[in-house]
Amino acid sequence: MNITRFDAAQPYFPPNHEGMHCMRLQGREAGPADTAWIGVSHILPGGGTTLDASAVEKFYVVLEGHVTIVTENGEETLAMHDSCRLAPGEKRALKNRTNRTASILLVMPFEKPA
């Protein structure tokens, strides 16, 4: 078993994320994992990411507040406990268009070796 206490979770700093505080909960530097890693991000009002894609799918769950997910096909605003899956190669941007901090859980598999 590997436990990460939320108060001890370490930040990480992904590119193209502004007005966000990202913390790794499991996997990578947070401990052993075979298939995926888990993170939590707090998104300040006006904060978010640029429209980018990754090679692997992503799963998001809104823990608090409202987060708008923008894709090339449109956008959807997710509320607490709403979730979405983004396919490999699907561009997405996260936006907090409210005046309250939002929190989102990310689950992302490790990239497959070439």
Side-chain angles (χ1 to χ4, degrees):
M1 179 182 339
N2 183 67
I3 295 173
T4 300
R5 304 280 181 205
F6 191 75
D7 288 344
Q10 294 298 304
Y12 69 101
F13 304 94
N16 304 317
H17 288 57
E18 296 293 328
M20 294 179 67
H21 181 72
C22 304
M23 296 173 290
R24 194 104 55 203
L25 300 181
Q26 292 292 326
R28 302 207 186 274
E29 66 275 1
D34 295 330
T35 59
W37 62 272
I38 302 172
V40 164
S41 296
H42 300 299
I43 310 169
L44 296 174
T49 70
T50 58
L51 187 68
D52 293 313
S54 67
V56 296
E57 67 186 347
K58 294 181 180 190
F59 299 92
Y60 291 113
V61 179
V62 175
L63 302 176
E64 186 175 351
H66 293 83
V67 178
T68 300
I69 312 292
V70 180
T71 69
E72 293 178 309
N73 296 321
E75 61 182 62
E76 291 288 338
T77 299
L78 306 181
M80 188 169 68
H81 299 148
D82 290 344
S83 64
C84 73
R85 179 237 183 211
L86 296 160
E90 184 176 7
K91 291 183 179 180
R92 64 82 186 102
L94 304 179
K95 304 290 180 189
N96 181 354
R97 295 181 174 151
T98 74
N99 289 330
R100 297 181 185 267
T101 300
S103 297
I104 195 162
L105 179 78
L106 165 66
V107 178
M108 191 167 158
F110 295 118
E111 292 193 32
K112 297 174 185 164

